[in-house]
Amino acid sequence: MRQTSAAVTNQFDVIIGASGSKTDLLLATAFLQSKSLNLIPTEQMIDILAEDGLDFAAPIAFGDSYKSSPIIGTIAPFINHLSKDKLLEGKIFTTHEHAVIGANVKLKVGDVITPTHGEAMPEDEHHDEDEDEEHHEDEGAHNHEHVGSELTIVGRMQATATAWDNAIIIPIEMMWEIHGLANGHSEANEENIGLPFDNEYLTEASVMVLKPKSIAAAYRLRSEYDEHQTTAFFPAEIMAEFYMLMGDARQILTLMGYIVEALVIISILIGISIMFQLFSRQFAILRALGAPRLYIYLAIWGYIMSIVVVGIISGLLLAYGTSFLINDYIQSRVNISIVTSLSAAEIWMMLMALIIAAILAFFAPLAMMQQSITKQLARG
Amino acid sequence: MSKSLEIQNLKINTFGINGQTILDVPYFNLEGERELVISGASGSGKTTFLYAIAGLFLKLNGKVSWNRSNLYNLASVERDKWRSQNLGMIFQNFQLLDELSVLDNILVPTGFDSFFCPKDMIYKAEKLADEFSISIHNSTIAHMSRGEKQRIALARALIKDAPIILADEPTASLDEANARNILEHLRKISEEGDKTLIIVSHDPAVMEQIDNKLLLEHGKIIKNTLPTISNVGAA
């Protein structure tokens, strides 16, 4: 979780929003979890866009969707940044009616779509086209198509391993236009796309993502715009708080892991004890028939160890299987792919279980061989 | 060549402070005789006697010597080895391993010496199964009759051609014809292989056919028909 979230948020250097919750801003920007965000006043947007020391300052606007994909309005340099300056296919948008899709969006270059006002629904909750028509009226004013605002898919971004892989990105001008707002350019330049904007025609945006040219610039901008009307922050600040919280949870989980391990060891002991009860007569028969001690020893030791090893491998496979299912679920909801890996702590726990089982398995046959053959035979 | 058996001051008690004596044999000697039948009422110590001479107790008071070697002076490993090489045992409750197939049960004693069962042993097991009318296919031990189990236990006791055969009630679960067949087989094998055959039995037919008899009561020998003069302690 930590690895994945860090990889996601590292792609957003400085985030600026209207004053409010930084966590909400981060969730909206990095994870596209729509929140009711306040809009950045245009005065502040103008100031930010005029700042030196930036590769780009990308205004971002949310609010529309197509099927399960959110539609995001922004500028081309931000797409290039996310896609590492190279699209997977097609080209970047050059007109207002163009759109670029994330790597996982189930559309093709050349497809034409009509955006819907409102949030994207998860895929499993999304209805097909026919159903959409049936429900169109019910959804009413909340989720309606922006008729006449057709968009043509012209390019596909490279995978970013973020929620943006499921997004449809359009020029922010188009996003403003389809909501009846000024599109950032004067009437004479209304077909223009991207920077520079005409300050008089600029519309408020939910978020601005900044790519400073230097660390010094990053700190300056973060400090300058974290004030009364705007909030500026490094995603790492929020993630650090989250990791601290996660660290506490991890400690609890680790403690639970130790408790589970103790229970496993108790289970092994009970299992061995039950095995003694169940198989003591069988081993007594073998001993009575002259089975060498090494034969009996290896039979019992092998039996215990095979149960433990099979148990550990099964547990590992089960845990991996479950983690993949959970990962699938989370990915379908928030498009975060969790990296599942065995940490040293887990390997240590497995080794501990194996070592304890091996010790028990070492002594168990010796204890078994101290039992009276005649008594065990009498049980038969 | 049949083995000699000598018991001296053998005393086995039940556990506890007030442990009762379940077997008390001051002296017993089997020298040159090939067959012996041990009889007695239930609880008279017959099976304990058999277990004692098989070396199945971890330790005990007294001496049990086969061919002048005291079994209970041997280290456990040596005693296991001695049992594996010298004894073919038939237990009162058969003591078969339900988890194994019929053939594998017969072959159990052969598996102690090598990882893979020799082919000639498999052939011998099949031959014994055939001789004792044991079906080795489509049967699980748990579903077999007592008679069938008895015959499997018998085949297992004979698989390694051991020089001593100890049989605890080998005919108890068999019908008259089968019992006669089994007894004849045991005696024939004993005679042809010059083996020592010691049988614990209530069966009058067994008692009738075997001359050498030992009668136990409350753990003591009360009748001994063995000709050896030195069998002190017998009534």
Side-chain angles (χ1 to χ4, degrees), chain A residues 281-282 287-288 293 377 380, chain B residues 58 80 83 93 95 99:
Chain A
R281 188 183 71 89
Q282 280 87 331
R287 291 168 67 194
R293 297 204 140 209
L377 289 178
Chain B
L58 295 178
D80 294 339
R83 264 202 308 277
N93 290 324
Q95 305 291 8
E99 297 79 5

Side-chain angles (χ1 to χ4, degrees), chain B residues 171 201-210 213:
Chain B
T171 59
S201 182
H202 286 107
D203 189 345
V206 178
M207 307 278 284
E208 195 178 298
Q209 289 194 42
I210 295 176
K213 298 178 184 67

Side-chain angles (χ1 to χ4, degrees), chain A residues 212-283:
Chain A
K213 285 181 174 164
S214 65
I215 293 172
Y219 274 93
R220 179 179 61 77
L221 290 163
R222 182 226 172 272
S223 166
E224 197 171 317
Y225 289 97
D226 195 21
E227 38 87 45
H228 183 59
Q229 285 187 296
T230 51
T231 302
F233 63 95
F234 301 127
E237 298 171 45
I238 309 302
M239 296 316 292
E241 289 173 21
F242 174 62
Y243 296 150
M244 276 174 68
L245 201 68
M246 217 160 69
D248 291 343
R250 191 184 170 87
Q251 276 185 335
I252 293 168
L253 287 174
T254 306
L255 180 66
M256 283 171 68
Y258 286 131
I259 293 169
V260 168
E261 181 155 15
L263 290 173
V264 166
I265 291 163
I266 291 168
S267 306
I268 292 172
L269 282 170
I270 293 171
I272 291 172
S273 154
I274 291 170
M275 194 201 78
F276 267 41
Q277 298 296 316
L278 287 176
F279 295 113
S280 57
R281 188 183 71 89
Q282 280 87 331
F283 286 117

Side-chain angles (χ1 to χ4, degrees), chain A residues 303-320:
Chain A
Y303 186 79
I304 296 171
M305 288 308 287
S306 59
I307 287 175
V308 172
V309 169
V310 167
I312 287 174
I313 292 170
S314 310
L316 198 63
L317 292 176
L318 192 69
Y320 255 104

